[in-house]
């Protein structure tokens, strides 16, 4: 899941050009705040009966699965073989695919949408083409060019924009780990997708608190939590049952220490909940199903011998790795 604030900023820069300014309304739907791994598939995992639908839908998707079905078995095996070579080459290049290498490859494919989004934004923000995105470049593209002391003098709600600018600068500085105000591609990725980087966790929590903590006491009260999702003034009438359910969720699952509000730790547990290592789970699954000699690693022959499971699994990244040129992987 991509962090909505990052998408907001990216859309502003790409959509309005150098003079684009952020909208003052930064409210985010409650459900969009929670960064969770989506289930790999809604299908039943039933490999024992020869049903690989779970594996196909996990990373192929219906459309890509249909595209993959157009490949002959011979072509699929040949292209999968090249992927096996890449997995080993990216690891220790010992001629085998280990559990760690398989997990790393699956994780790599999971993150491709993030890398693609960064690539799409890079040329827009790296205006001087020096291979880095400076804070000044990002600020000017997103908020416009201003002389010092004249920031947002041409807009009505200047204070709101100043707060947004300060918030983005704080996030940029957190992502800029070497402190030179020049973001490498990795640092720029952390800026756009802070939920993916452990060192950005405090920034994500701080931004969430700022959005919800309307009375400024440093906590999220239950009414502030509900107000982010439901407005009685706008809706009118009796409070719906689902709102009562959300209040119960707050009491039972959000407010971990039962003190009636959420502190930073509880907000972090809510918006960045502990997640199962799905790439590791899938890697273990593929290893166990394909490791015919039970030596705890996979040979190219073992993988190709079970090719139908692999091309229906996360290892082929929605089927795209079997249709992309090998050099693009």
């Amino acid at each position: 899941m991509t962090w909505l604030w990052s998408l907001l900023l990216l859309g502003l820069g790409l959509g309005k050009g150098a003079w684009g300014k952020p909208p003052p309304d930064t409210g985010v739907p409650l459900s969009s705040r929670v960064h969770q791994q989506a289930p790999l598939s809604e299908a039943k995992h039933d490999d024992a009966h020869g049903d690989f639908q779970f594996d196909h839908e996990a990373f192929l998707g219906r459309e890509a699965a249909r595209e993959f079905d157009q490949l002959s078995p011979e072509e699929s095996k040949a292209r999968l073989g090249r992927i096996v070579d890449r997995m080993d080459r990216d690891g220790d290049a010992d001629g085998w695919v280990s559990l760690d290498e398989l997990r790393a490859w699956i994780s790599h494919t999971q993150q491709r949408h993030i890398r693609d989004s960064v690539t799409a934004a890079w040329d827009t923000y790296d205006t001087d083409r020096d291979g880095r995105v400076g804070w000044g470049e990002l600020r000017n593209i997103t908020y416009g060019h201003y002389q010092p002391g004249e920031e947002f003098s041409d807009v009505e709600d200047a204070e709101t924009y100043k707060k947004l600018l300060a918030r983005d600068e704080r996030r940029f500085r957190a992502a800029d780990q070497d402190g030179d105000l020049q973001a490498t591609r990795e640092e720029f990725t952390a800026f756009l997708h802070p939920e993916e980087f452990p060192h950005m966790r405090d920034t994500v929590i701080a931004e969430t608190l700022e959005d919800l903590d309307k009375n400024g006491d440093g906590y999220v009260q239950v009414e502030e939590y509900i107000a982010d999702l439901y407005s009685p003034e706008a809706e009118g009438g009796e409070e719906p049952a689902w709102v009562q359910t959300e209040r119960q969720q707050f009491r039972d699952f959000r407010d971990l220490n039962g003190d009636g509000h959420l502190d930073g730790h509880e907000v972090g547990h809510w918006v960045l909940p502990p997640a199962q290592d799905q790439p590791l789970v899938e890697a273990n699954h593929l290893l166990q199903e394909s490791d015919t000699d039970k030596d705890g690693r996979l040979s190219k022959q073992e993988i190709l011998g079970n090719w139908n499971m692999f091309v229906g699994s996360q290892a082929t990244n929605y089927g795209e790795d079997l249709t992309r040129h090998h050099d693009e992987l």
Side-chain angles (χ1 to χ4, degrees):
M1 168 185 162
T2 305
W3 204 249
L4 186 59
W5 302 311
S6 300
L7 288 179
L8 173 63
L9 178 64
L10 182 60
L12 290 165
L14 295 179
K16 293 194 176 184
W19 292 99
K21 294 187 178 65
D25 181 9
T26 59
V28 185
L30 182 67
S31 59
S32 298
R33 294 188 185 280
V34 185
H35 174 72
Q36 290 178 321
Q37 289 180 311
L40 301 183
S41 172
E42 299 296 339
K44 183 179 179 181
H45 206 165
D46 195 20
D47 294 345
H49 295 88
D51 182 359
F52 299 110
Q53 187 66 22
F54 178 95
D55 296 289
H56 278 271
E57 291 186 0
F59 277 83
L60 287 173
R62 292 181 181 179
E63 293 297 324
R66 283 197 289 267
E67 293 177 10
F68 173 76
D69 287 341
Q70 297 173 10
L71 295 175
S72 69
E74 293 74 21
E75 179 64 13
S76 295
K77 290 178 183 179
R79 297 187 184 190
L80 179 58
R82 293 195 290 271
I83 292 175
V84 174
D85 293 339
R86 170 69 183 273
M87 283 192 286
D88 181 42
R89 189 171 68 248
D90 287 349
D92 56 16
D94 64 350
W96 305 86
V97 174
S98 66
L99 176 64
D100 287 343
E101 288 170 338
L102 187 54
R103 182 204 173 280
W105 176 259
I106 293 170
S107 181
H108 168 83
T109 63
Q110 274 193 327
Q111 298 298 312
R112 179 167 290 138
H113 72 284
I114 292 177
R115 296 193 300 275
D116 287 348
S117 76
V118 172
T119 297
W122 187 261
D123 287 344
T124 297
Y125 289 105
D126 181 19
T127 56
D128 62 8
R129 301 296 183 261
D130 67 348
R132 293 172 178 261
V133 172
W135 165 243
E137 291 174 305
L138 190 144
R139 178 193 60 217
N140 291 338
I141 287 292
T142 305
Y143 293 95
H145 296 262
Y146 289 101
Q147 295 298 321
E150 297 182 0
E151 291 85 356
F152 309 116
S153 58
D154 57 339
V155 298
E156 292 184 5
D157 196 358
E159 290 305 313
T160 295
Y161 294 126
K162 288 179 181 179
K163 289 179 181 178
L164 289 172
L165 175 60
R167 173 166 158 154
D168 281 344
E169 182 175 1
R170 180 184 62 196
R171 186 198 284 199
F172 189 93
R173 289 180 180 275
D176 176 32
Q177 290 192 285
D178 60 8
D180 64 355
L181 293 183
Q182 298 288 323
T184 63
R185 189 172 288 264
E186 181 75 1
E187 290 170 337
F188 188 56
T189 303
F191 174 78
L192 290 180
H193 300 275
E195 76 285 354
E196 299 291 338
F197 292 80
H199 71 275
M200 298 295 289
R201 182 180 178 87
D202 288 347
T203 299
V204 173
I205 293 172
E207 291 181 1
T208 304
L209 274 170
E210 288 169 359
D211 285 341
L212 301 184
D213 178 23
K214 301 304 182 184
N215 65 8
D217 65 353
Y219 300 96
V220 177
Q221 310 294 338
V222 63
E223 294 305 328
E224 293 170 329
Y225 174 87
I226 294 297
D228 191 50
L229 181 63
Y230 170 76
S231 173
E233 293 79 10
E235 301 291 338
E238 186 176 349
E239 188 172 85
W242 63 265
V243 176
Q244 293 295 327
T245 299
E246 284 296 330
R247 292 183 184 277
Q248 192 66 41
Q249 289 282 321
F250 182 95
R251 290 190 291 269
D252 293 346
F253 301 107
R254 309 285 186 242
D255 182 14
L256 301 177
N257 61 11
D259 63 359
H261 54 230
L262 307 186
D263 58 22
H265 170 73
E266 290 165 324
V267 168
H269 192 272
W270 165 39
V271 299
L272 295 171
Q276 184 183 50
D277 189 339
Q278 294 194 62
L280 179 59
V281 171
E282 180 70 2
N284 266 308
H285 167 65
L286 293 175
L287 180 66
Q288 292 171 8
E289 294 295 327
S290 307
D291 184 17
T292 55
D293 61 8
K294 304 304 177 185
D295 65 350
R297 59 185 183 177
L298 296 178
S299 66
K300 187 173 184 177
Q301 183 179 1
E302 286 175 322
I303 292 175
L304 294 180
N306 198 22
W307 70 276
N308 193 41
M309 178 173 287
F310 275 85
V311 298
S313 79
Q314 301 177 39
T316 56
N317 189 44
Y318 304 81
E320 294 175 11
D321 288 342
L322 293 177
T323 55
R324 291 189 184 202
H325 189 277
H326 177 56
D327 292 339
E328 297 177 14
L329 299 178

